[in-house]
Amino acid sequence: MTGETQIITPGAQADPRTRKQAAQDEIAAVRPRPRRDPAIWGIYAFLIFVSIVELFSASSREIVGGNILGPISRHAFLLFVGFIIMICLQRVHYRVFYRLTYVIVGLSVLSVFYTMANGVVINGARRAFSLFGLCTVQPAELIKFSAALIIARMLCNYRVHYKKGKVDEYRRYNRRLVAVVAVVVLFFGALLIKQGMTNTLLMMVISGAMMVIGGVRAKELLCVLGVYAIIAGGYYFVKYSDAGEKIFGTEQADGMTDAEAISSGKEFDRQATHKNRVANFLRPNKFNDEITSENSQEMYSYIAQANGGVMGRFPGNSRETARLPLAFSDYIYAIIIEDTGLVGGSFLLFAYLCLLWRAGYIASRCKKAFPALLVIGMAVFIVCQALVHMGIVTGCLPVSGQPLPLISKGGSSVIVTSIALGMMLSVSRFALRKGQRQEANDRISRLSDDDSMPDNPTQI
């Protein structure tokens, strides 16, 4: 009727968009500002300090023409670039990483194929490519990072039920998903197989750890690990056994030693080298071997660690940095122990483990599965690589080339590690917390239009 005022009773339904906007305005008024994670930043600052001090100590072989600041200045510039990346990524909501997962993975895979065709030969294999002539990029670092990212994306749907809620369909869905994760890891491992088995085994360890954290049932996890073991064992048996040598052959011809083949700058099959490394690792008295051109790296590494003792010789007083090959990258942990002793080496190990603990703490307070798995996946990626590096240097694992995250010299490793830390900070910045912020974020989550991201499996 004209002129009458419309009265809405309390039980009437208002426009959903109006209700949602009103709720968001209310939440915005009481919601605290996102906080930076002091623990992650503290660990990062400590690792940067160790990196600058120890890389300067380990770079005596690279000093040319009296320019003592040359090697450390290049590394400091890369650390600064990584710092800028972390600052930028911590302000990006983790949902952006969720949506860009397959784009990042696709670019990483394309970089591997490009390296196979036009890559730079390093230590007998095509391991990197030149980026506009400014620097070299190693796709192995990108692939390991991408593996952790895509596994987080896939496992976040592990506990999603079908709409009908049928138990049989739910179980078949889970098994199918776990199988897909295993296939993805094996595919990434196959891409890096010519660069050595270490990267492939590292991805298997990362995927296994994330499956455990993601709540994969023990039966399915054992099946996946069994497939990994069978494929890895079968490859090693065929490739490095006497029968495998007859099938594949050894292309390190003309009686060249490994050092001579590497110095030639040509690509060659290093199966004989890998076989000898495993054999030397299994020798009971490997620490007492005579130093030769073949084992000089590991032997000088052991000598450096013995020189360090318990308290170390203090940074800058290392005796082995001048003759230890790759002291600034693949064997920098040996120089750290020589400079700071068992105490310093143990404290550095503790710092990496603290990063993993902090990631677990953040993950336990996330409501959604993807941010929880993302922060854990990035931490596992960083910490596993650090543990592998330390295991190789100390003789607990066979010799192979793995950088120490944020500390070893290498642009690819520094940048990729910085990206991983930036993603962890993003999750920490936007993670759900107790108290007022917990309640506010829960209310926003209920109002969100994007309900495709499942709940955190660690809270189920």
Side-chain angles (χ1 to χ4, degrees), residues 338-383:
E338 185 176 15
D339 286 346
T340 63
L342 177 64
V343 173
S346 300
F347 195 78
L348 181 60
L349 171 61
F350 178 73
Y352 282 109
L353 295 179
C354 283
L355 182 65
L356 184 61
W357 167 83
R358 185 62 182 179
Y361 176 76
I362 295 171
S364 67
R365 301 176 70 178
C366 293
K367 178 177 176 58
K368 295 297 183 180
F370 179 72
L373 290 168
L374 177 63
V375 70
I376 283 292
M378 295 299 106
V380 168
F381 157 66
I382 295 172
V383 175

Side-chain angles (χ1 to χ4, degrees), residues 374-429:
L374 177 63
V375 70
I376 283 292
M378 295 299 106
V380 168
F381 157 66
I382 295 172
V383 175
C384 281
Q385 184 151 316
L387 294 178
V388 169
H389 174 95
M390 295 176 181
I392 292 170
V393 171
T394 56
C396 298
L397 294 173
V399 174
S400 182
Q402 288 294 326
L404 189 59
L406 281 183
I407 296 179
S408 293
K409 182 179 179 181
S412 300
S413 177
V414 170
I415 298 301
V416 172
T417 304
S418 299
I419 293 173
L421 287 171
M423 289 184 174
M424 293 178 64
L425 289 169
S426 171
V427 174
S428 174
R429 184 180 177 88

